[in-house]
Every structure is written in C-alpha cells, then in structure tokens.
Coordinates of all heavy atoms in Angstrom, one line a residue:
M1 N -5.9 -2.4 -6.0 CA -6.0 -3.4 -4.9 C -6.7 -2.6 -3.7 O -7.5 -3.2 -3.1 CB -4.7 -3.9 -4.5 CG -4.7 -4.9 -3.4 SD -3.1 -5.6 -3.1 CE -3.0 -6.7 -4.4
L2 N -6.4 -1.4 -3.5 CA -7.0 -0.6 -2.4 C -8.5 -0.5 -2.6 O -9.3 -0.6 -1.7 CB -6.4 0.8 -2.3 CG -4.9 0.8 -1.9 CD1 -4.4 2.2 -1.9 CD2 -4.7 0.1 -0.5
T3 N -8.8 -0.2 -3.9 CA -10.2 -0.1 -4.1 C -11.0 -1.4 -4.0 O -12.2 -1.3 -3.4 CB -10.5 0.4 -5.6 OG1 -9.9 -0.5 -6.5 CG2 -9.9 1.8 -5.8
D4 N -10.4 -2.5 -4.3 CA -11.1 -3.8 -4.1 C -11.2 -4.2 -2.6 O -12.1 -4.6 -2.2 CB -10.4 -4.9 -4.9 CG -10.6 -4.7 -6.4 OD1 -11.5 -4.0 -6.8 OD2 -9.8 -5.2 -7.2
M5 N -10.0 -4.1 -1.9 CA -9.9 -4.6 -0.6 C -10.7 -3.8 0.4 O -11.3 -4.3 1.3 CB -8.4 -4.7 -0.1 CG -7.6 -5.8 -0.7 SD -5.9 -5.8 -0.2 CE -6.1 -6.3 1.5
F6 N -10.7 -2.5 0.2 CA -11.2 -1.6 1.2 C -12.4 -0.8 0.7 O -12.9 0.2 1.4 CB -10.2 -0.7 1.8 CG -9.1 -1.5 2.4 CD1 -7.9 -1.6 1.7 CD2 -9.2 -2.0 3.6 CE1 -6.9 -2.3 2.3 CE2 -8.2 -2.7 4.2 CZ -7.0 -2.9 3.5
R7 N -12.9 -1.0 -0.5 CA -14.0 -0.3 -1.2 C -13.8 1.1 -1.2 O -14.7 2.0 -0.8 CB -15.3 -0.8 -0.5 CG -15.6 -2.2 -0.6 CD -16.8 -2.6 0.0 NE -17.0 -4.0 -0.2 CZ -17.8 -4.8 0.5 NH1 -18.6 -4.3 1.5 NH2 -17.9 -6.1 0.3
I8 N -12.6 1.5 -1.5 CA -12.2 3.0 -1.6 C -12.6 3.4 -3.0 O -12.1 2.8 -4.0 CB -10.8 3.2 -1.3 CG1 -10.5 2.7 0.1 CG2 -10.3 4.7 -1.5 CD1 -9.0 2.7 0.4
P9 N -13.3 4.5 -3.2 CA -13.5 5.0 -4.6 C -12.3 5.3 -5.4 O -11.3 5.9 -4.8 CB -14.4 6.3 -4.4 CG -14.9 6.2 -2.9 CD -13.9 5.3 -2.2
A10 N -12.1 4.8 -6.6 CA -11.0 4.8 -7.4 C -10.4 6.3 -7.5 O -9.3 6.5 -7.5 CB -11.1 4.2 -8.7
Q11 N -11.4 7.3 -7.6 CA -11.0 8.6 -7.8 C -10.3 9.3 -6.6 O -9.6 10.2 -6.7 CB -12.2 9.5 -8.3 CG -13.2 9.7 -7.2 CD -14.3 8.6 -7.3 OE1 -14.1 7.5 -7.8 NE2 -15.5 8.9 -6.7
T12 N -10.4 8.6 -5.5 CA -9.7 9.2 -4.3 C -8.4 8.6 -4.1 O -7.6 9.1 -3.3 CB -10.5 8.9 -3.0 OG1 -10.6 7.5 -2.8 CG2 -11.9 9.6 -3.1
V13 N -8.0 7.6 -4.8 CA -6.7 6.9 -4.7 C -5.7 7.7 -5.7 O -5.6 7.3 -6.8 CB -6.7 5.4 -5.1 CG1 -5.4 4.8 -4.9 CG2 -7.7 4.7 -4.1
Q14 N -5.1 8.7 -5.1 CA -4.2 9.6 -5.9 C -2.8 9.5 -5.3 O -2.7 9.3 -4.1 CB -4.7 11.0 -5.9 CG -6.1 11.2 -6.5 CD -6.1 10.9 -8.0 OE1 -5.1 11.3 -8.6 NE2 -7.1 10.2 -8.4
P15 N -1.8 9.6 -6.0 CA -0.4 9.5 -5.5 C 0.0 10.4 -4.3 O 0.8 9.9 -3.5 CB 0.5 9.9 -6.8 CG -0.3 9.7 -8.0 CD -1.8 10.0 -7.5
D16 N -0.6 11.5 -4.2 CA -0.2 12.4 -3.1 C -1.1 12.3 -1.8 O -0.9 13.1 -0.9 CB -0.2 13.9 -3.6 CG -1.6 14.3 -4.1 OD1 -2.4 13.4 -4.5 OD2 -1.9 15.5 -4.0
V17 N -2.0 11.4 -1.8 CA -2.9 11.2 -0.7 C -2.3 10.2 0.3 O -1.9 9.1 0.0 CB -4.3 10.6 -1.2 CG1 -5.2 10.2 0.0 CG2 -5.0 11.5 -2.1
P18 N -2.2 10.7 1.5 CA -1.7 9.8 2.6 C -2.6 8.7 2.8 O -3.9 8.8 2.7 CB -1.6 10.7 3.8 CG -1.7 12.1 3.3 CD -2.4 12.1 2.1
L19 N -2.1 7.5 3.1 CA -2.8 6.3 3.3 C -3.9 6.5 4.5 O -5.0 6.0 4.3 CB -2.0 5.1 3.6 CG -1.0 4.7 2.4 CD1 0.0 3.8 2.8 CD2 -1.8 4.2 1.3
Y20 N -3.5 7.2 5.5 CA -4.5 7.3 6.6 C -5.8 8.1 6.1 O -6.8 7.9 6.7 CB -3.9 8.0 7.8 CG -3.6 9.5 7.7 CD1 -4.5 10.4 7.9 CD2 -2.3 9.9 7.3 CE1 -4.3 11.8 7.8 CE2 -2.0 11.3 7.1 CZ -3.0 12.2 7.4 OH -2.7 13.6 7.2
Q21 N -5.6 9.0 5.2 CA -6.8 9.7 4.7 C -7.8 8.7 3.9 O -8.9 9.0 3.7 CB -6.4 10.8 3.7 CG -5.9 12.0 4.5 CD -5.6 13.2 3.6 OE1 -5.8 13.2 2.4 NE2 -5.2 14.3 4.2
L22 N -7.2 7.6 3.5 CA -8.1 6.5 2.9 C -8.5 5.5 3.9 O -9.0 4.4 3.6 CB -7.3 5.8 1.7 CG -6.8 6.7 0.6 CD1 -5.9 6.0 -0.3 CD2 -7.9 7.4 -0.1
R23 N -8.3 5.8 5.1 CA -8.6 5.0 6.3 C -7.9 3.6 6.3 O -8.3 2.6 6.7 CB -10.1 4.7 6.3 CG -10.9 6.0 6.4 CD -12.2 5.9 7.0 NE -12.7 7.3 7.2 CZ -13.9 7.6 7.5 NH1 -14.7 6.6 7.7 NH2 -14.3 8.8 7.6
I24 N -6.6 3.8 5.9 CA -5.7 2.6 5.9 C -4.8 2.8 7.1 O -3.9 3.6 7.2 CB -4.8 2.6 4.6 CG1 -5.6 2.5 3.3 CG2 -3.8 1.4 4.7 CD1 -6.4 1.3 3.2
D25 N -5.1 2.1 8.2 CA -4.4 2.2 9.4 C -3.2 1.1 9.4 O -3.0 0.5 8.3 CB -5.2 2.0 10.7 CG -5.9 0.7 10.7 OD1 -5.6 -0.3 9.9 OD2 -6.8 0.5 11.5
S26 N -2.5 1.0 10.4 CA -1.3 0.1 10.4 C -1.8 -1.3 10.2 O -1.1 -2.1 9.5 CB -0.6 0.2 11.7 OG -1.4 -0.1 12.8
L27 N -2.9 -1.8 10.7 CA -3.4 -3.2 10.5 C -3.8 -3.3 9.0 O -3.4 -4.3 8.4 CB -4.5 -3.5 11.4 CG -5.1 -4.9 11.3 CD1 -4.1 -5.9 11.5 CD2 -6.3 -5.1 12.2
A28 N -4.5 -2.4 8.5 CA -4.9 -2.5 7.1 C -3.7 -2.4 6.1 O -3.6 -3.1 5.1 CB -5.8 -1.3 6.8
L29 N -2.7 -1.6 6.6 CA -1.5 -1.5 5.7 C -0.7 -2.9 5.7 O -0.2 -3.3 4.7 CB -0.6 -0.4 6.2 CG 0.7 -0.1 5.4 CD1 0.4 0.2 4.0 CD2 1.5 1.0 6.1
E30 N -0.8 -3.6 6.8 CA -0.1 -4.9 6.8 C -0.9 -5.9 5.9 O -0.3 -6.7 5.3 CB -0.1 -5.4 8.3 CG 0.7 -6.7 8.4 CD 2.1 -6.6 8.0 OE1 2.7 -5.5 8.0 OE2 2.7 -7.7 7.6
E31 N -2.3 -5.8 5.9 CA -3.1 -6.6 4.9 C -2.6 -6.2 3.5 O -2.5 -7.2 2.7 CB -4.5 -6.3 5.2 CG -5.1 -6.8 6.5 CD -6.6 -6.5 6.6 OE1 -7.3 -6.7 5.6 OE2 -7.0 -6.0 7.6
V32 N -2.5 -5.0 3.2 CA -2.1 -4.6 1.9 C -0.7 -5.1 1.5 O -0.5 -5.7 0.5 CB -2.1 -3.0 1.7 CG1 -1.5 -2.6 0.5 CG2 -3.5 -2.5 1.9
R33 N 0.2 -5.0 2.5 CA 1.6 -5.5 2.2 C 1.6 -7.0 1.9 O 2.1 -7.5 1.0 CB 2.4 -5.2 3.5 CG 3.8 -5.7 3.4 CD 4.6 -5.7 4.7 NE 4.5 -4.4 5.4 CZ 5.5 -3.5 5.3 NH1 6.5 -3.7 4.6 NH2 5.3 -2.3 6.0
L34 N 0.8 -7.8 2.7 CA 0.8 -9.2 2.5 C 0.1 -9.6 1.2 O 0.6 -10.5 0.4 CB 0.0 -9.9 3.6 CG 0.8 -9.9 5.0 CD1 -0.1 -10.4 6.1 CD2 2.1 -10.6 4.9
A35 N -1.0 -8.9 0.8 CA -1.7 -9.1 -0.5 C -0.7 -8.8 -1.6 O -0.6 -9.5 -2.6 CB -2.9 -8.3 -0.5
L36 N 0.0 -7.7 -1.5 CA 0.9 -7.3 -2.6 C 2.1 -8.3 -2.7 O 2.5 -8.6 -3.8 CB 1.5 -5.9 -2.3 CG 0.6 -4.7 -2.5 CD1 1.2 -3.4 -1.9 CD2 0.3 -4.6 -4.0
E37 N 2.6 -8.8 -1.6 CA 3.6 -9.8 -1.6 C 3.1 -11.0 -2.3 O 3.8 -11.6 -3.2 CB 4.1 -10.1 -0.2 CG 5.0 -9.1 0.4 CD 5.4 -9.4 1.8 OE1 4.8 -10.3 2.5 OE2 6.4 -8.8 2.2
D38 N 1.9 -11.5 -2.0 CA 1.4 -12.7 -2.6 C 1.1 -12.4 -4.1 O 1.4 -13.3 -5.0 CB 0.1 -13.1 -1.9 CG 0.4 -13.7 -0.5 OD1 1.5 -14.1 -0.3 OD2 -0.6 -13.8 0.2
E39 N 0.5 -11.3 -4.4 CA 0.1 -11.1 -5.8 C 1.2 -10.7 -6.7 O 1.2 -11.3 -7.9 CB -0.8 -9.9 -5.8 CG -1.4 -9.5 -7.2 CD -2.5 -10.4 -7.6 OE1 -3.2 -11.1 -6.8 OE2 -2.7 -10.5 -8.8
L40 N 2.2 -10.1 -6.3 CA 3.4 -9.7 -7.1 C 4.6 -10.4 -6.9 O 5.6 -10.2 -7.5 CB 3.6 -8.2 -6.9 CG 2.4 -7.3 -7.3 CD1 2.7 -5.8 -6.9 CD2 2.0 -7.4 -8.7
N41 N 4.6 -11.4 -5.9 CA 5.8 -12.1 -5.6 C 7.0 -11.3 -5.3 O 8.1 -11.5 -5.8 CB 6.0 -13.2 -6.7 CG 7.0 -14.2 -6.3 OD1 7.0 -14.6 -5.1 ND2 7.8 -14.8 -7.1
V42 N 6.8 -10.3 -4.4 CA 7.9 -9.5 -3.9 C 7.9 -9.5 -2.4 O 6.9 -9.9 -1.7 CB 7.7 -8.0 -4.4 CG1 7.8 -7.9 -5.8 CG2 6.4 -7.4 -3.9
D43 N 9.1 -9.2 -1.9 CA 9.2 -9.2 -0.4 C 9.3 -7.7 0.1 O 10.2 -7.0 -0.2 CB 10.5 -9.9 0.0 CG 10.7 -10.0 1.5 OD1 9.8 -9.6 2.2 OD2 11.8 -10.4 1.9
L44 N 8.3 -7.4 0.8 CA 8.2 -6.0 1.3 C 8.4 -5.8 2.8 O 8.2 -4.8 3.4 CB 6.8 -5.4 1.0 CG 6.4 -5.4 -0.5 CD1 4.9 -5.0 -0.6 CD2 7.3 -4.4 -1.3
E45 N 9.0 -6.9 3.4 CA 9.1 -7.0 4.9 C 10.1 -5.9 5.3 O 9.9 -5.3 6.4 CB 9.8 -8.4 5.2 CG 9.8 -8.6 6.7 CD 8.4 -8.6 7.4 OE1 7.5 -9.1 6.8 OE2 8.4 -8.2 8.5
D46 N 11.1 -5.6 4.5 CA 12.1 -4.5 5.0 C 11.8 -3.2 4.5 O 12.6 -2.3 4.7 CB 13.5 -5.0 4.6 CG 13.6 -5.0 3.1 OD1 12.6 -5.1 2.4 OD2 14.8 -5.0 2.6
V47 N 10.6 -3.0 4.0 CA 10.2 -1.6 3.5 C 9.5 -0.9 4.6 O 8.4 -1.3 5.0 CB 9.3 -1.8 2.2 CG1 8.8 -0.3 1.8 CG2 10.1 -2.4 1.1
P48 N 10.0 0.2 5.1 CA 9.3 0.9 6.2 C 8.2 1.8 5.6 O 8.4 2.8 5.1 CB 10.4 1.8 6.7 CG 11.4 2.0 5.6 CD 11.3 0.8 4.7
L49 N 7.0 1.3 5.9 CA 5.8 2.0 5.4 C 4.9 2.3 6.6 O 4.7 1.3 7.5 CB 5.0 1.2 4.4 CG 5.6 1.1 3.0 CD1 4.9 0.1 2.2 CD2 5.7 2.4 2.3
T50 N 4.3 3.4 6.7 CA 3.3 3.7 7.7 C 2.1 4.3 7.0 O 2.1 4.7 5.8 CB 3.8 4.8 8.7 OG1 3.9 6.0 8.1 CG2 5.2 4.3 9.3
S51 N 1.1 4.5 7.8 CA -0.2 5.1 7.2 C 0.0 6.5 6.9 O -0.9 7.1 6.2 CB -1.4 4.9 8.2 OG -1.1 5.5 9.4
R52 N 1.1 7.1 7.3 CA 1.4 8.6 7.0 C 2.0 8.6 5.6 O 2.1 9.7 5.0 CB 2.3 9.2 8.0 CG 1.6 9.4 9.3 CD 2.4 10.2 10.2 NE 1.8 10.4 11.5 CZ 0.9 11.4 11.8 NH1 0.7 12.2 10.8 NH2 0.4 11.5 12.9
D53 N 2.5 7.5 5.1 CA 3.1 7.5 3.7 C 1.9 7.7 2.7 O 0.8 7.4 2.9 CB 3.8 6.2 3.4 CG 5.2 6.1 4.1 OD1 5.9 7.1 4.0 OD2 5.4 5.1 4.8
T54 N 2.3 8.1 1.5 CA 1.3 8.4 0.5 C 1.1 7.2 -0.4 O 1.9 6.3 -0.4 CB 1.7 9.6 -0.4 OG1 2.9 9.2 -1.1 CG2 1.9 10.9 0.4
V55 N 0.1 7.2 -1.1 CA -0.2 6.1 -2.1 C 1.0 6.1 -3.1 O 1.5 5.0 -3.4 CB -1.5 6.4 -2.8 CG1 -1.6 5.4 -4.1 CG2 -2.7 6.3 -2.0
G56 N 1.5 7.2 -3.5 CA 2.7 7.2 -4.4 C 3.9 6.6 -3.8 O 4.7 5.9 -4.5
R57 N 4.1 6.8 -2.5 CA 5.3 6.1 -1.8 C 5.1 4.6 -1.7 O 6.0 3.9 -2.0 CB 5.4 6.7 -0.4 CG 6.4 5.9 0.5 CD 7.8 6.1 0.1 NE 8.6 5.3 0.9 CZ 9.4 4.3 0.6 NH1 9.4 3.9 -0.7 NH2 10.1 3.6 1.5
L58 N 3.9 4.1 -1.5 CA 3.6 2.7 -1.5 C 3.9 2.2 -2.9 O 4.5 1.1 -3.1 CB 2.1 2.5 -1.2 CG 1.6 1.1 -1.3 CD1 2.4 0.1 -0.3 CD2 0.1 1.0 -0.9
V59 N 3.4 2.8 -4.0 CA 3.6 2.4 -5.4 C 5.1 2.3 -5.7 O 5.6 1.4 -6.2 CB 2.8 3.2 -6.4 CG1 3.2 2.9 -7.7 CG2 1.4 3.0 -6.2
A60 N 5.8 3.4 -5.2 CA 7.3 3.5 -5.5 C 8.0 2.3 -4.8 O 8.9 1.7 -5.4 CB 7.8 4.8 -5.1
A61 N 7.7 2.1 -3.6 CA 8.3 1.0 -2.8 C 8.1 -0.4 -3.4 O 9.0 -1.2 -3.6 CB 7.8 1.0 -1.4
V62 N 6.8 -0.6 -3.9 CA 6.6 -1.9 -4.6 C 7.3 -2.0 -5.9 O 7.9 -3.0 -6.3 CB 5.0 -2.1 -4.8 CG1 4.8 -3.3 -5.7 CG2 4.3 -2.2 -3.5
S63 N 7.4 -0.9 -6.7 CA 8.1 -0.9 -7.9 C 9.5 -1.1 -7.8 O 10.1 -1.8 -8.5 CB 7.9 0.5 -8.7 OG 6.4 0.7 -9.0
E64 N 10.1 -0.4 -6.7 CA 11.6 -0.7 -6.5 C 11.8 -2.1 -6.2 O 12.8 -2.7 -6.7 CB 12.0 0.2 -5.3 CG 12.1 1.7 -5.6 CD 12.3 2.5 -4.3 OE1 12.7 1.9 -3.3 OE2 12.0 3.7 -4.4
K65 N 11.0 -2.8 -5.4 CA 11.3 -4.2 -5.0 C 11.0 -5.1 -6.1 O 11.8 -6.1 -6.4 CB 10.3 -4.6 -3.8 CG 10.7 -4.0 -2.5 CD 12.1 -4.7 -2.1 CE 12.4 -4.4 -0.7 NZ 13.5 -5.3 -0.3
A66 N 10.1 -4.8 -7.0 CA 9.8 -5.6 -8.1 C 10.9 -5.5 -9.2 O 11.2 -6.5 -9.8 CB 8.4 -5.2 -8.8
A67 N 11.5 -4.3 -9.3 CA 12.7 -4.2 -10.2 C 13.9 -4.9 -9.7 O 14.7 -5.3 -10.6 CB 13.0 -2.7 -10.3
V68 N 14.1 -5.2 -8.5 CA 15.2 -5.8 -7.9 C 15.2 -7.3 -8.3 O 16.2 -8.0 -8.4 CB 15.4 -5.7 -6.4 CG1 16.4 -6.5 -5.8 CG2 15.6 -4.1 -6.1
R69 N 14.0 -7.9 -8.4 CA 13.9 -9.3 -8.7 C 14.6 -9.7 -9.9 O 14.9 -9.4 -10.8 CB 12.4 -9.8 -8.8 CG 11.7 -9.7 -7.5 CD 10.3 -10.3 -7.7 NE 9.5 -9.5 -8.6 CZ 8.7 -10.1 -9.5 NH1 8.6 -11.4 -9.5 NH2 8.0 -9.4 -10.3

C-alpha cells in the first residue's frame, strides 16, 4: 500500500525503517490509516502511531487489530 499510495520503492519498505524516512508524515500516516481501515475492515482509531514508528510497528498494529475481529 505504501508503494502504491506514495510511490515508495518496494525495496526501501523494510520492517526496521521509520515511517518518516519514507517521507510519511502525520498527514500521510492518517491517509494510510484510513486506507487500511477501508481495505481491511479494521478500526485503527485507538492505535497510537506516529511517523517515528517503523514499518514493522505499523504492520504489527494492523495484524493485532485484524486478529481481534
């Protein structure tokens, strides 16, 4: 999704890379959050995410929420 939405090269999207290094700021992160909620039918509203979090943290948060459903 990050590669499609923000034209980020796939090889740079690694679990340990902070989102800000991919130029995902707070506004872009909110776009990602909304897109993930729509695409995966999960509620990420109460998940505290910032651009300092890593790609891996984002994936883990989404996975945790999807598992709860």
Side-chain angles (χ1 to χ4, degrees):
M1 185 173 283
L2 294 175
T3 60
D4 290 339
M5 287 179 72
F6 301 103
R7 298 183 182 157
I8 299 169
Q11 66 271 19
T12 63
V13 181
Q14 299 294 321
D16 60 336
V17 174
L19 296 168
Y20 72 86
Q21 286 186 359
L22 300 175
R23 302 203 174 170
I24 305 293
D25 61 12
S26 58
L27 181 58
L29 185 56
E30 188 59 26
E31 289 179 48
V32 170
R33 180 191 307 266
L34 292 173
L36 287 167
E37 287 180 339
D38 287 345
E39 183 75 22
L40 303 175
N41 195 30
V42 295
D43 183 8
L44 301 173
E45 188 66 34
D46 62 340
V47 176
L49 290 170
T50 71
S51 60
R52 293 189 178 272
D53 285 308
T54 63
V55 171
R57 170 68 181 116
L58 175 61
V59 171
V62 172
S63 295
E64 289 171 17
K65 284 297 193 164
V68 173
R69 289 186 298 139

